Amino acid sequence: MRFKIIILVLLALSLTFVGANSALAVDATANVTLSATVTSIAELTLSTATVSFPNANPGTVPNVSATENGATITAHVRTGSSTPASLSVLAADDLTSGSDVIPMTAVSSTTTNTSGTFFTTGAIPWSKTAPVTLGGGASGSYTGTVNWTLANSWSYATGNYTAAATYTLTAP
Amino acid sequence: MFDDTLKIVIRKFAGKMISLLPLVFAVITLTISALSLPVNGGSGTVTTNADADIPSSAQLTISPSSINFRNANPGAVLTIPANENPVSVTANAQIGEQSLATLTVLAIGDLISGSDGIPIENVTWTATGSGFVPGTMNKNSPVSAGSWQGPGEHIGTFSFFMGNSWSYSTGNYSQTVTYTLTAP
C-alpha cells in the first residue's frame, strides 16, 4: 500500500509538472544596442550684412541709431554640456575715413532674446583689440534682435566712415 | 497465523510494486525530457511523436544587434536613419493554433553619454513583414513590435531613425533595448 501511494504521488507530481509547463508562457529575448554620435556644430545668421549710421546733430542726438536696427540674429549651436558655446564680435579696425578716425568703442550693440536665452542683454561697446562677448550658452536654437548705436560727438571730422567687424559663434 | 499470512501478502505486493519502479522512472524521465525542450537560441531538431505534449517555445533573432546613428546637422537632417537599416528580424513561435505570439521592445533608459541624455522617445522604427509593426521606443513600458496568431516563423525588417535636434549635447550616446517574443 505504501508503494502504491508513492507511485501515485510520483505520477501526480509528474502530471502536475507537465500541466504547469503547458500553462506557462515562454519568452525569447534579444538585446539591441543603440548608439549615436553627436559632434559640435554652429550656425550663425544675421539678417543684415551692413550697418549704417545716418548723420545727426550731436547736440540733439547724442546716440545715433543704425538704419538696420531691429535686425534678427539666429544662433544654432551644439556643444558639450560642460563647454558652453559663445558669441563674440571683433572689429577689424576703427571707423576710418581717409586719415580720420572714429574709435570703434563709440559703437555698441544691444541684443534682446526673442527665443531662448543666449544673448547678453544691455549695451555692449565694441573693440578692435579683443573679441567682445555678446552671449553664450548650451546647445540649442536661439533667436534675438540686434540694435546698433554710435555715440555722437562734435569732435568727429566730416566724412564717410567704414569698418568691418566679424561675429563669431564658437562651439568648443 | 494471520500475521504470517499478512506478511506473505505484503511481500508479494511489495515485489509487484518494485517491479513497477522502472516504469515510474521512465515516466519521470520522459516528463523531464519534455520540460527541457529548447526555448532560446541555438539550433537543433526535436523529434516527437504526433501525439506528444509539446510545450510552447520561442526563438528570436535580430541582426545586427548594434544600431548606430551618425552625426548630422540638425539644420539639414531632421531625422537620422541608422547606418544598419534595414535590420533583419526572425521570430519563431511554437504555440497553439489559437494562441497569440507577441513581440515587444523595452528600452533600459534614455540614450546616455555621461550625464547627458537624449530621450529614447526620439528613436522610432518602421517595419516590414507580416505582423511586424512600427513604433516609438519607450523606457517606461513595453511597446508592441509585432504579433502573430498560431505557430510559425515570421521574417521581417526594422528600420530605425533618430530625431535630430540642436538641443543635444555633444557626446557618444548609447543604450540597450530588449526585444521579447512571448509564446503563451
Side-chain angles (χ1 to χ4, degrees):
Chain A
M1 183 63 182
R2 193 176 177 185
F3 287 106
K4 190 178 277 185
I5 290 173
I6 291 172
I7 290 167
L8 289 173
V9 169
L10 289 172
L11 283 172
L13 284 173
S14 299
L15 290 172
T16 302
F17 284 141
V18 171
N21 185 67
S22 297
L24 287 175
V26 293
D27 293 339
T29 61
N31 286 333
V32 173
T33 302
L34 304 176
S35 300
T37 301
V38 177
T39 62
S40 299
I41 187 171
E43 288 183 355
L44 181 65
T45 304
L46 194 57
S47 63
T48 181
T50 59
V51 178
S52 306
F53 298 101
N55 182 58
N57 183 339
T60 56
V61 184
N63 294 298
V64 183
S65 296
T67 306
E68 295 79 7
N69 276 0
T72 299
I73 186 169
T74 303
H76 299 300
V77 64
R78 231 163 39 178
T79 187
S81 56
S82 59
T83 53
S86 65
L87 173 67
S88 64
V89 64
L90 176 64
D93 201 347
D94 292 322
L95 288 159
T96 58
S97 173
S99 59
D100 297 324
V101 172
I102 296 176
M104 183 53 68
T105 52
V107 176
S108 63
S109 65
T110 302
T111 309
T112 55
N113 292 289
T114 55
S115 175
T117 303
F118 186 82
F119 305 104
T120 303
T121 57
I124 300 174
W126 286 18
S127 170
K128 66 174 183 180
T129 57
V132 174
T133 300
L134 300 178
S139 296
S141 186
Y142 307 95
T143 304
T145 301
V146 188
N147 292 325
W148 294 271
T149 302
L150 172 68
N152 208 354
S153 172
W154 289 109
S155 66
Y156 295 162
T158 56
N160 293 312
Y161 294 80
T162 60
T166 302
Y167 282 83
T168 303
L169 177 62
T170 303
Chain B
M1 181 64 179
F2 178 77
D3 288 344
D4 291 341
T5 304
L6 182 60
K7 286 177 181 175
I8 291 168
V9 169
I10 289 174
R11 283 195 190 103
K12 285 183 178 177
F13 182 76
K16 285 185 177 179
M17 292 302 105
I18 289 171
S19 67
L20 286 173
L21 279 177
L23 175 61
V24 173
F25 289 132
V27 169
I28 294 172
T29 303
L30 285 173
T31 304
I32 292 173
S33 298
L35 288 168
S36 64
L37 281 173
V39 172
N40 294 333
S43 63
T45 303
V46 177
T47 303
T48 63
N49 293 327
D51 59 350
D53 184 4
I54 302 171
S56 298
S57 67
Q59 192 175 53
L60 177 64
T61 304
I62 299 177
S63 181
S65 59
S66 290
I67 309 300
N68 296 280
F69 298 101
R70 64 181 171 85
N71 180 63
N73 183 340
V77 181
L78 297 179
T79 303
I80 306 171
N83 296 341
E84 295 77 10
N85 286 347
V87 174
S88 298
V89 187
T90 303
N92 294 321
Q94 191 175 46
I95 56 177
E97 292 290 345
Q98 300 304 316
S99 296
L100 188 70
T102 60
L103 177 63
T104 60
V105 60
L106 177 65
I108 304 301
D110 292 325
L111 289 162
I112 295 298
S113 174
S115 59
D116 297 323
I118 295 175
I120 198 68
E121 290 78 10
N122 286 292
V123 177
T124 59
W125 73 89
T126 59
T128 65
S130 179
F132 292 97
V133 295
T136 301
M137 290 290 178
N138 193 290
K139 64 181 178 183
N140 298 314
S141 57
V143 178
S144 176
S147 62
W148 304 270
Q149 182 175 332
E153 180 183 58
H154 311 285
I155 299 173
T157 65
F158 288 143
S159 290
F160 296 91
F161 301 88
M162 185 179 79
N164 204 1
S165 173
W166 285 109
S167 67
Y168 298 161
S169 294
T170 56
N172 294 312
Y173 294 81
S174 66
Q175 188 52 267
T176 300
V177 299
T178 300
Y179 284 86
T180 301
L181 176 64
T182 299

